[in-house]
Amino acid sequence: MRADRLVSLVLLLRRHGRLTAGALARELEVSTRTVLRDIEALSAAGVPVYAERGRHGGFSLLPGFRTELTGLNHDEALALLAAGPGPAERVIGLGPSLASALRKVVDALPDGHRATASDAARRFLVDPETDLLSRRRTTEEVPGAVLAEVRRAVLAGHRLRIHYAAAGEPPRWRTVDPIGLVTVRDRGYLLATRAGEDRTYRLSRVRAAEELPEAAVRPDRVDLDRIWRERTARFLSDGHLTVLVRVAPARREELLGTAVAVRTEEPEEDGRLRLELTFQDARHAEWALWQLGPDAEALNPPSLRTALRARAAAIVAQYDNGDAGTAGTLS
């Protein structure tokens, strides 16, 4: 871990020319004292780092010093720089590692191409936090220690104990055989088996995790794309109700927070959104749409429209008696 940090420190100095200890600490996500110790270690190892005093001072490398990282052509480096740390890296907990890798990518470029590639990468924006309808992306937060433990078990092929809180249930420990990690719409999932049965766990519901020493029971080769498609199809067809809805953009997040899954989404000419959603059952769908009042309209199935219309008619009938309001008038 420290060796990676030392390499990152050198690459930061190569890229920026001169940085203060505070700036290095922020980039590397460590304390200033740790940076000073790393500078001493680099100097002792023969890396020409020197300090410049004064208000505009900091640490620099002697001119001409560089590390040798080869194997990337210009377009490959540009592709990595343009992608940058995205939602998938945050969900799986590899954002800091990707940032470190990108510094190495920049340093691997020839001197004449380094500035060109960095400037070109700024011309691309991949998966911004908001889209043209001003809808913000929401990424579920998962503790870094949990992500690291889950990731180690997946890569090492070891069994995993997770303290998992299923929807509407208190957390409890389960031992699973991890297969792989999937990110979908800024949510992370652990694909696993438990006692030979397929299981899918949302990472944001894992309260704690522990990699076990015994080997996981799983195939040597895996096709995560195929497994995810199969599990998604099975999940959506297992007694759930598919609903077509028109909703005001301002209420989108509220609606999605109650749905089981989102199948499709597209804007309409009047500014509303048309979504195909999955709910647990008809009662769940009716409750969720009723909360949004006139900001949401169920288009399909007809039975849901009928149920919402009947509920609205009952409310109108209840308040249609003009005399009822006078009975409780305070004197």
Side-chain angles (χ1 to χ4, degrees):
M1 185 69 179
R2 190 190 185 194
D4 289 339
R5 191 174 68 242
L6 293 176
V7 172
S8 293
L9 194 155
V10 171
L11 295 177
L12 283 169
L13 293 179
R14 275 195 48 77
R15 183 176 182 181
H16 296 284
R18 181 186 302 115
L19 287 172
T20 65
L24 287 167
R26 287 191 296 273
E27 288 282 351
L28 299 172
E29 298 181 352
V30 297
S31 67
T32 302
R33 181 176 297 180
T34 297
V35 167
L36 295 177
R37 285 200 300 265
D38 288 348
I39 293 290
E40 291 180 3
L42 288 172
S43 297
V47 177
V49 183
Y50 66 95
E52 294 187 12
R53 308 295 179 184
R55 189 175 67 174
H56 301 293
F59 294 99
S60 304
L61 293 169
L62 286 178
F65 177 81
R66 66 169 291 132
T67 55
E68 293 298 330
L69 297 172
T70 60
L72 285 174
N73 62 37
H74 182 271
D75 285 348
E76 290 170 341
L78 178 59
L80 290 173
L81 290 172
E89 287 72 31
R90 293 193 296 272
V91 169
I92 300 179
L94 292 175
S97 297
L98 180 59
S100 175
L102 292 178
R103 286 193 289 267
K104 296 176 184 178
V105 168
V106 172
D107 192 78
L109 296 174
D111 291 338
H113 293 169
R114 190 175 300 119
T116 302
S118 295
D119 179 69
R122 298 188 188 100
R123 306 292 176 177
F124 304 132
L125 179 60
V126 181
D127 285 335
E129 289 190 0
T130 59
D131 61 18
L132 288 175
L133 297 175
S134 298
R135 298 170 301 189
R136 288 189 62 83
R137 304 172 65 101
T138 55
T139 302
E140 296 183 335
E141 295 296 328
V142 184
V146 169
L147 281 173
E149 201 74 8
V150 172
R151 193 170 61 244
R152 279 196 296 267
V154 169
L155 297 178
H158 290 167
R159 283 193 159 171
L160 181 69
R161 286 185 76 233
I162 56 174
H163 198 221
Y164 188 77
E169 298 180 13
R172 61 187 180 89
W173 286 99
R174 312 156 195 251
T175 299
V176 303
D177 295 299
I179 295 174
L181 292 169
V182 177
T183 60
V184 181
R185 297 181 183 273
D186 296 347
R187 290 181 177 178
Y189 297 89
L190 168 67
L191 304 189
T193 60
R194 183 166 173 251
E197 299 292 329
D198 290 345
R199 293 288 185 270
T200 302
Y201 301 100
R202 189 184 295 186
L203 289 176
S204 62
R205 293 177 178 167
V206 179
R207 303 293 182 257
E210 177 188 357
E211 179 189 3
L212 302 178
E214 59 261 32
V217 179
R218 66 182 192 180
D220 293 333
R221 292 175 177 262
V222 64
D223 184 347
L224 281 184
D225 187 56
R226 176 185 58 79
I227 293 173
W228 181 255
R229 288 199 308 269
E230 291 174 352
R231 293 195 181 187
T232 299
R234 189 162 61 243
F235 174 78
L236 294 177
S237 64
D238 187 19
H240 292 82
L241 178 69
T242 299
V243 176
L244 189 62
V245 181
R246 294 179 73 247
V247 64
R251 308 298 294 275
R252 172 187 179 271
E253 294 301 326
E254 188 176 346
L255 178 60
L256 296 190
T258 61
V260 173
V262 183
R263 291 191 169 191
T264 62
E265 177 180 352
E266 58 185 27
E268 295 195 328
E269 292 182 358
D270 63 357
R272 289 205 165 200
L273 304 174
R274 179 182 291 251
L275 296 95
E276 188 177 17
L277 306 171
T278 299
F279 291 93
Q280 293 175 0
D281 50 32
R283 184 178 178 182
H284 178 206
E286 181 182 339
W287 172 85
L289 292 175
W290 183 257
Q291 311 307 308
L292 304 184
D295 287 334
E297 178 188 0
L299 303 177
N300 201 46
S303 58
L304 178 58
R305 291 180 61 88
T306 299
L308 288 168
R309 183 167 56 246
R311 180 182 282 215
I315 293 293
V316 170
Q318 179 173 324
Y319 289 97
D320 199 31
N321 186 346
D323 298 332
T326 60
T329 302
L330 295 176
S331 58

